[in-house]
PDB file of all heavy atoms in Angstrom:
ATOM      1  N   ASN A 277      23.732  11.360  10.490  1.00  0.00           N
ATOM      2  CA  ASN A 277      22.689  12.376  10.289  1.00  0.00           C
ATOM      3  C   ASN A 277      21.800  11.971   9.113  1.00  0.00           C
ATOM      4  O   ASN A 277      21.964  12.467   7.999  1.00  0.00           O
ATOM      5  CB  ASN A 277      23.338  13.743  10.003  1.00  0.00           C
ATOM      6  CG  ASN A 277      24.168  14.237  11.177  1.00  0.00           C
ATOM      7  OD1 ASN A 277      23.651  14.659  12.193  1.00  0.00           O
ATOM      8  ND2 ASN A 277      25.489  14.149  11.026  1.00  0.00           N
ATOM      9  N   PRO A 278      20.853  11.034   9.351  1.00  0.00           N
ATOM     10  CA  PRO A 278      20.034  10.499   8.254  1.00  0.00           C
ATOM     11  C   PRO A 278      19.174  11.530   7.541  1.00  0.00           C
ATOM     12  O   PRO A 278      18.739  11.294   6.418  1.00  0.00           O
ATOM     13  CB  PRO A 278      19.166   9.443   8.957  1.00  0.00           C
ATOM     14  CG  PRO A 278      19.200   9.803  10.408  1.00  0.00           C
ATOM     15  CD  PRO A 278      20.541  10.421  10.639  1.00  0.00           C
ATOM     16  N   ASP A 279      18.949  12.694   8.177  1.00  0.00           N
ATOM     17  CA  ASP A 279      18.146  13.733   7.523  1.00  0.00           C
ATOM     18  C   ASP A 279      18.948  14.501   6.471  1.00  0.00           C
ATOM     19  O   ASP A 279      18.378  15.265   5.686  1.00  0.00           O
ATOM     20  CB  ASP A 279      17.589  14.715   8.563  1.00  0.00           C
ATOM     21  CG  ASP A 279      16.557  14.058   9.466  1.00  0.00           C
ATOM     22  OD1 ASP A 279      15.920  13.097   9.011  1.00  0.00           O
ATOM     23  OD2 ASP A 279      16.408  14.498  10.617  1.00  0.00           O
ATOM     24  N   ASP A 280      20.268  14.324   6.477  1.00  0.00           N
ATOM     25  CA  ASP A 280      21.123  14.965   5.475  1.00  0.00           C
ATOM     26  C   ASP A 280      21.234  14.030   4.271  1.00  0.00           C
ATOM     27  O   ASP A 280      21.888  12.998   4.315  1.00  0.00           O
ATOM     28  CB  ASP A 280      22.505  15.236   6.069  1.00  0.00           C
ATOM     29  CG  ASP A 280      23.434  15.928   5.065  1.00  0.00           C
ATOM     30  OD1 ASP A 280      22.961  16.291   3.967  1.00  0.00           O
ATOM     31  OD2 ASP A 280      24.630  16.083   5.366  1.00  0.00           O
ATOM     32  N   HIS A 281      20.578  14.400   3.172  1.00  0.00           N
ATOM     33  CA  HIS A 281      20.531  13.528   1.997  1.00  0.00           C
ATOM     34  C   HIS A 281      21.602  13.877   0.964  1.00  0.00           C
ATOM     35  O   HIS A 281      21.588  13.338  -0.144  1.00  0.00           O
ATOM     36  CB  HIS A 281      19.145  13.596   1.344  1.00  0.00           C
ATOM     37  CG  HIS A 281      18.050  13.140   2.258  1.00  0.00           C
ATOM     38  ND1 HIS A 281      17.941  11.836   2.712  1.00  0.00           N
ATOM     39  CD2 HIS A 281      17.004  13.810   2.828  1.00  0.00           C
ATOM     40  CE1 HIS A 281      16.890  11.728   3.496  1.00  0.00           C
ATOM     41  NE2 HIS A 281      16.313  12.903   3.595  1.00  0.00           N
ATOM     42  N   ASN A 282      22.516  14.790   1.299  1.00  0.00           N
ATOM     43  CA  ASN A 282      23.580  15.143   0.365  1.00  0.00           C
ATOM     44  C   ASN A 282      24.569  13.998   0.198  1.00  0.00           C
ATOM     45  O   ASN A 282      24.750  13.177   1.100  1.00  0.00           O
ATOM     46  CB  ASN A 282      24.327  16.389   0.850  1.00  0.00           C
ATOM     47  CG  ASN A 282      23.434  17.618   0.855  1.00  0.00           C
ATOM     48  OD1 ASN A 282      22.734  17.884  -0.106  1.00  0.00           O
ATOM     49  ND2 ASN A 282      23.452  18.359   1.959  1.00  0.00           N
ATOM     50  N   VAL A 283      25.230  13.953  -0.959  1.00  0.00           N
ATOM     51  CA  VAL A 283      26.242  12.945  -1.234  1.00  0.00           C
ATOM     52  C   VAL A 283      27.617  13.609  -1.223  1.00  0.00           C
ATOM     53  O   VAL A 283      27.813  14.657  -1.847  1.00  0.00           O
ATOM     54  CB  VAL A 283      25.992  12.268  -2.604  1.00  0.00           C
ATOM     55  CG1 VAL A 283      27.124  11.302  -2.943  1.00  0.00           C
ATOM     56  CG2 VAL A 283      24.657  11.523  -2.583  1.00  0.00           C
ATOM     57  N   TYR A 284      28.566  13.001  -0.487  1.00  0.00           N
ATOM     58  CA  TYR A 284      29.906  13.589  -0.325  1.00  0.00           C
ATOM     59  C   TYR A 284      30.962  12.614  -0.855  1.00  0.00           C
ATOM     60  O   TYR A 284      30.950  11.423  -0.502  1.00  0.00           O
ATOM     61  CB  TYR A 284      30.181  13.868   1.155  1.00  0.00           C
ATOM     62  CG  TYR A 284      29.183  14.790   1.807  1.00  0.00           C
ATOM     63  CD1 TYR A 284      28.034  14.283   2.418  1.00  0.00           C
ATOM     64  CD2 TYR A 284      29.379  16.165   1.824  1.00  0.00           C
ATOM     65  CE1 TYR A 284      27.113  15.128   3.027  1.00  0.00           C
ATOM     66  CE2 TYR A 284      28.468  17.017   2.441  1.00  0.00           C
ATOM     67  CZ  TYR A 284      27.333  16.492   3.030  1.00  0.00           C
ATOM     68  OH  TYR A 284      26.418  17.326   3.639  1.00  0.00           O
ATOM     69  N   PRO A 285      31.911  13.098  -1.669  1.00  0.00           N
ATOM     70  CA  PRO A 285      32.976  12.217  -2.173  1.00  0.00           C
ATOM     71  C   PRO A 285      34.136  12.103  -1.192  1.00  0.00           C
ATOM     72  O   PRO A 285      34.625  13.101  -0.661  1.00  0.00           O
ATOM     73  CB  PRO A 285      33.414  12.918  -3.466  1.00  0.00           C
ATOM     74  CG  PRO A 285      33.164  14.374  -3.192  1.00  0.00           C
ATOM     75  CD  PRO A 285      31.970  14.444  -2.276  1.00  0.00           C
ATOM     76  N   LEU A 286      34.564  10.873  -0.934  1.00  0.00           N
ATOM     77  CA  LEU A 286      35.750  10.608  -0.132  1.00  0.00           C
ATOM     78  C   LEU A 286      36.706   9.785  -0.991  1.00  0.00           C
ATOM     79  O   LEU A 286      36.270   9.014  -1.841  1.00  0.00           O
ATOM     80  CB  LEU A 286      35.384   9.839   1.143  1.00  0.00           C
ATOM     81  CG  LEU A 286      34.312  10.471   2.026  1.00  0.00           C
ATOM     82  CD1 LEU A 286      34.003   9.568   3.206  1.00  0.00           C
ATOM     83  CD2 LEU A 286      34.735  11.854   2.512  1.00  0.00           C
ATOM     84  N   TYR A 287      37.991   9.923  -0.745  1.00  0.00           N
ATOM     85  CA  TYR A 287      38.980   9.337  -1.651  1.00  0.00           C
ATOM     86  C   TYR A 287      39.889   8.344  -0.924  1.00  0.00           C
ATOM     87  O   TYR A 287      40.131   8.453   0.283  1.00  0.00           O
ATOM     88  CB  TYR A 287      39.834  10.439  -2.286  1.00  0.00           C
ATOM     89  CG  TYR A 287      39.028  11.395  -3.123  1.00  0.00           C
ATOM     90  CD1 TYR A 287      38.435  12.519  -2.549  1.00  0.00           C
ATOM     91  CD2 TYR A 287      38.835  11.172  -4.485  1.00  0.00           C
ATOM     92  CE1 TYR A 287      37.680  13.401  -3.310  1.00  0.00           C
ATOM     93  CE2 TYR A 287      38.086  12.045  -5.252  1.00  0.00           C
ATOM     94  CZ  TYR A 287      37.509  13.153  -4.662  1.00  0.00           C
ATOM     95  OH  TYR A 287      36.751  14.016  -5.415  1.00  0.00           O
ATOM     96  N   LEU A 288      40.384   7.391  -1.684  1.00  0.00           N
ATOM     97  CA  LEU A 288      41.388   6.466  -1.198  1.00  0.00           C
ATOM     98  C   LEU A 288      42.513   6.440  -2.224  1.00  0.00           C
ATOM     99  O   LEU A 288      42.268   6.200  -3.412  1.00  0.00           O
ATOM    100  CB  LEU A 288      40.808   5.061  -1.032  1.00  0.00           C
ATOM    101  CG  LEU A 288      41.763   4.025  -0.431  1.00  0.00           C
ATOM    102  CD1 LEU A 288      41.902   4.258   1.067  1.00  0.00           C
ATOM    103  CD2 LEU A 288      41.287   2.612  -0.684  1.00  0.00           C
ATOM    104  N   CYS A 289      43.740   6.704  -1.801  1.00  0.00           N
ATOM    105  CA  CYS A 289      44.879   6.699  -2.710  1.00  0.00           C
ATOM    106  C   CYS A 289      46.088   6.177  -1.942  1.00  0.00           C
ATOM    107  O   CYS A 289      46.767   6.930  -1.239  1.00  0.00           O
ATOM    108  CB  CYS A 289      45.155   8.088  -3.270  1.00  0.00           C
ATOM    109  SG  CYS A 289      46.459   8.114  -4.515  1.00  0.00           S
ATOM    110  N   THR A 290      46.357   4.878  -2.045  1.00  0.00           N
ATOM    111  CA  THR A 290      47.428   4.275  -1.255  1.00  0.00           C
ATOM    112  C   THR A 290      48.810   4.539  -1.842  1.00  0.00           C
ATOM    113  O   THR A 290      49.815   4.152  -1.240  1.00  0.00           O
ATOM    114  CB  THR A 290      47.205   2.759  -1.112  1.00  0.00           C
ATOM    115  OG1 THR A 290      47.189   2.158  -2.420  1.00  0.00           O
ATOM    116  CG2 THR A 290      45.886   2.472  -0.427  1.00  0.00           C
ATOM    117  N   ILE A 291      48.848   5.195  -3.006  1.00  0.00           N
ATOM    118  CA  ILE A 291      50.147   5.567  -3.595  1.00  0.00           C
ATOM    119  C   ILE A 291      50.930   6.441  -2.617  1.00  0.00           C
ATOM    120  O   ILE A 291      52.145   6.328  -2.489  1.00  0.00           O
ATOM    121  CB  ILE A 291      49.939   6.311  -4.936  1.00  0.00           C
ATOM    122  CG1 ILE A 291      49.308   5.376  -5.961  1.00  0.00           C
ATOM    123  CG2 ILE A 291      51.257   6.856  -5.466  1.00  0.00           C
ATOM    124  CD1 ILE A 291      48.882   6.063  -7.244  1.00  0.00           C
ATOM    125  N   ASP A 292      50.234   7.311  -1.913  1.00  0.00           N
ATOM    126  CA  ASP A 292      50.878   8.211  -0.954  1.00  0.00           C
ATOM    127  C   ASP A 292      50.818   7.659   0.466  1.00  0.00           C
ATOM    128  O   ASP A 292      51.022   8.390   1.433  1.00  0.00           O
ATOM    129  CB  ASP A 292      50.211   9.585  -1.006  1.00  0.00           C
ATOM    130  CG  ASP A 292      50.438  10.271  -2.346  1.00  0.00           C
ATOM    131  OD1 ASP A 292      51.562  10.163  -2.869  1.00  0.00           O
ATOM    132  OD2 ASP A 292      49.506  10.897  -2.862  1.00  0.00           O
ATOM    133  N   GLY A 293      50.503   6.380   0.602  1.00  0.00           N
ATOM    134  CA  GLY A 293      50.523   5.749   1.914  1.00  0.00           C
ATOM    135  C   GLY A 293      49.273   5.962   2.741  1.00  0.00           C
ATOM    136  O   GLY A 293      49.246   5.624   3.919  1.00  0.00           O
ATOM    137  N   ARG A 294      48.240   6.526   2.168  1.00  0.00           N
ATOM    138  CA  ARG A 294      46.998   6.747   2.920  1.00  0.00           C
ATOM    139  C   ARG A 294      46.081   5.529   2.777  1.00  0.00           C
ATOM    140  O   ARG A 294      45.766   5.110   1.675  1.00  0.00           O
ATOM    141  CB  ARG A 294      46.273   7.992   2.420  1.00  0.00           C
ATOM    142  CG  ARG A 294      47.053   9.272   2.601  1.00  0.00           C
ATOM    143  CD  ARG A 294      46.196  10.454   2.199  1.00  0.00           C
ATOM    144  NE  ARG A 294      46.919  11.711   2.331  1.00  0.00           N
ATOM    145  CZ  ARG A 294      47.610  12.270   1.355  1.00  0.00           C
ATOM    146  NH1 ARG A 294      47.674  11.670   0.179  1.00  0.00           N
ATOM    147  NH2 ARG A 294      48.231  13.405   1.540  1.00  0.00           N
ATOM    148  N   GLY A 295      45.624   5.008   3.896  1.00  0.00           N
ATOM    149  CA  GLY A 295      44.681   3.894   3.855  1.00  0.00           C
ATOM    150  C   GLY A 295      45.279   2.607   3.321  1.00  0.00           C
ATOM    151  O   GLY A 295      44.573   1.806   2.681  1.00  0.00           O
ATOM    152  N   ASN A 296      46.559   2.357   3.601  1.00  0.00           N
ATOM    153  CA  ASN A 296      47.239   1.180   3.056  1.00  0.00           C
ATOM    154  C   ASN A 296      46.577  -0.138   3.445  1.00  0.00           C
ATOM    155  O   ASN A 296      46.645  -1.113   2.708  1.00  0.00           O
ATOM    156  CB  ASN A 296      48.701   1.157   3.511  1.00  0.00           C
ATOM    157  CG  ASN A 296      49.589   2.010   2.618  1.00  0.00           C
ATOM    158  OD1 ASN A 296      49.318   2.153   1.432  1.00  0.00           O
ATOM    159  ND2 ASN A 296      50.633   2.576   3.195  1.00  0.00           N
ATOM    160  N   GLU A 297      45.958  -0.181   4.618  1.00  0.00           N
ATOM    161  CA  GLU A 297      45.379  -1.431   5.102  1.00  0.00           C
ATOM    162  C   GLU A 297      43.873  -1.518   4.879  1.00  0.00           C
ATOM    163  O   GLU A 297      43.226  -2.444   5.351  1.00  0.00           O
ATOM    164  CB  GLU A 297      45.680  -1.601   6.599  1.00  0.00           C
ATOM    165  CG  GLU A 297      47.169  -1.728   6.899  1.00  0.00           C
ATOM    166  CD  GLU A 297      47.422  -1.952   8.373  1.00  0.00           C
ATOM    167  OE1 GLU A 297      46.563  -1.569   9.189  1.00  0.00           O
ATOM    168  OE2 GLU A 297      48.470  -2.515   8.707  1.00  0.00           O
TER     169      GLU A 297
END
Side-chain angles (χ1 to χ4, degrees):
N277 297 286
D279 292 333
D280 181 6
H281 299 295
N282 295 313
V283 175
Y284 302 90
L286 305 177
Y287 298 88
L288 184 75
C289 185
T290 60
I291 295 172
D292 294 320
R294 297 185 181 92
N296 276 330
E297 296 182 336

